[in-house]
Amino acid sequence: MKESGRRILVTGGAGFLGSHLCERLLAQGHEVLCLDNFFTGNKRNVAHLLSDPRFELIRHDITLPLRVEADEIYNLACPASPVHYQRTPMQTTRTSVLGALNVLDLARQCNAKVLQASTSEVYGDPQVHPQPEQYWGHANPVGVRACYDEGKRCAETLFMDCRRQYGTDVKIARIFNTYGPRMHPEDGRVVSNFIMQALAGQPLTVYGDGAQTRSFCYVDDLVDAFIRLMDSPREFGGPVNLGNPEESTMLELAQRVIALCGSASDIVFRPLPSDDPVRRRPDISLARSVLKWEPRIGLAEGLGRTIDYFRRLLDDEQPVREHSLHGQ
Ligand code: NAD
Ligand code: UDP
């Protein structure tokens, strides 16, 4: 395998995390094949990369077999927000499971390394806190989140079996809540919801009493970790937790977003969705020791950058929004 200028396939490359990863890989001098079916992603996320001759955008659904040449594969294709993945739940499971099988078949054909974007959701509503990789989790197999949780758990099984059966160089990243520019403004995730609401002067919708916790990682830190994991020795496949251990309640997050936006918005309380995990924080000891990685960007700085992005997005979209309103 070439050390520099590798050919790298990113499935789900037109999504939030994928678009940042494509950008970083191009900057490192690689050739990037960005594959997406645009279910939740958008060509706009990678429009600025299209003029680079080392970048190629392919419309494809990973539930169907793939035929391309690659040295490395990052498998990110899958809707990630609960609102999106619950909209067509059977397609979500299909994407995780058939997608993993297709990506692993391709990796074997090309003798490529392959990284799976797994999730902290494999721990379900965890009874161990913070969550280490050895914890097997507490997931409801028949609840509304199962299409995602169980799909991702099955994908991890397929990746580990492929390593054991065929010796494929697989890497499993268990990603904890990650945020930043290019999140879909209407995907229902808490960071995008709160920022959009605060900037519009609307009430921030805290689900439940807001005492549930999450730990938020800024996208640039996560992309660093992805690349370190892909470059890690063959013997190391994970799973490895990737996330920022800085934990906060959703009520604290809402107050912080209001303050950072300089907004006069109120907070309102809405029903808690079912199976919503109560606490979540990664134990990142393994990533620290093996990948020599830890996040650098704290919540205040990351939120600031994300707020700037959404502000620009709203400014740019203003004429479009006004136009479509007048057209109604
Ligand atoms: P996203 O929805 O922005 O990106 C997912 C991308 O996959 C989109 O571009 C979408 O169009 C594409 N896609 C979906 N189904 C597809 C299919 N069948 N074939 C081809 N493309 C398909 O979400 P994201 O936040 O960028 O998440 C990327 C990956 O990281 C996902 O696998 C997600 O499960 C995982 N992850 C993300 C987070 C997070 O906090 N952002 C946390 C845990 C895991
Ligand atoms: N949440 C909230 N208000 C919102 C959206 C989400 O209080 O407008 C809560 C949600 O109930 C969950 C947390 O924020 O407890 C994180 O939700 P998100 O959908 O971002 O991610 P996930 O639940 O997958 O971690």
Side-chain angles (χ1 to χ4, degrees), residues 80-82 85 121 145 177 188-191 193-194 197 205-207 212 214 216 250 272-273 276-277 280:
S81 98
Y85 70 64
E121 283 284 323
R145 294 173 90 102
N177 297 63
R189 283 189 265 195
V190 68
V191 172
N193 265 14
F194 283 178
Q197 289 163 342
T205 51
V206 169
Y207 301 161
Q212 72 274 31
R214 294 293 185 274
F216 295 99
M250 294 310 98
L272 190 66
D276 200 284
R280 186 184 284 159

Side-chain angles (χ1 to χ4, degrees), residues 195-323:
I195 294 178
M196 291 293 285
Q197 289 163 342
L199 291 178
Q202 291 165 355
L204 273 65
T205 51
V206 169
Y207 301 161
D209 61 5
Q212 72 274 31
T213 69
R214 294 293 185 274
S215 306
F216 295 99
C217 185
Y218 188 68
V219 60
D220 290 1
D221 281 331
L222 190 84
V223 169
D224 278 351
F226 269 166
I227 292 172
R228 279 172 189 260
L229 177 57
M230 186 62 102
D231 292 344
S232 64
R234 189 180 186 97
E235 311 77 72
F236 184 71
V240 58
N241 289 339
L242 302 180
N244 190 325
E246 190 182 344
E247 183 179 1
S248 72
T249 69
M250 294 310 98
L251 190 55
E252 285 162 357
L253 180 72
Q255 288 158 344
R256 207 153 184 182
V257 168
I258 289 174
L260 286 166
C261 289
S263 167
S265 290
D266 295 327
I267 290 175
V268 292
F269 294 89
R270 296 280 177 262
L272 190 66
S274 62
D275 291 341
D276 200 284
V278 176
R279 298 171 82 192
R280 186 184 284 159
R281 169 155 58 102
D283 175 336
I284 59 163
S285 318
L286 187 63
R288 279 199 177 103
S289 70
V290 179
L291 306 180
K292 311 282 176 247
W293 174 86
E294 63 182 357
R296 292 165 184 276
I297 299 166
L299 190 56
E301 184 183 349
L303 282 176
R305 293 188 197 182
T306 312
I307 290 165
D308 287 347
Y309 166 80
F310 279 109
R311 247 197 203 112
R312 283 198 303 275
L313 188 77
L314 287 171
D315 288 348
D316 290 350
E317 281 189 354
Q318 207 57 34
V320 181
R321 288 186 172 213
E322 277 167 14
H323 183 257

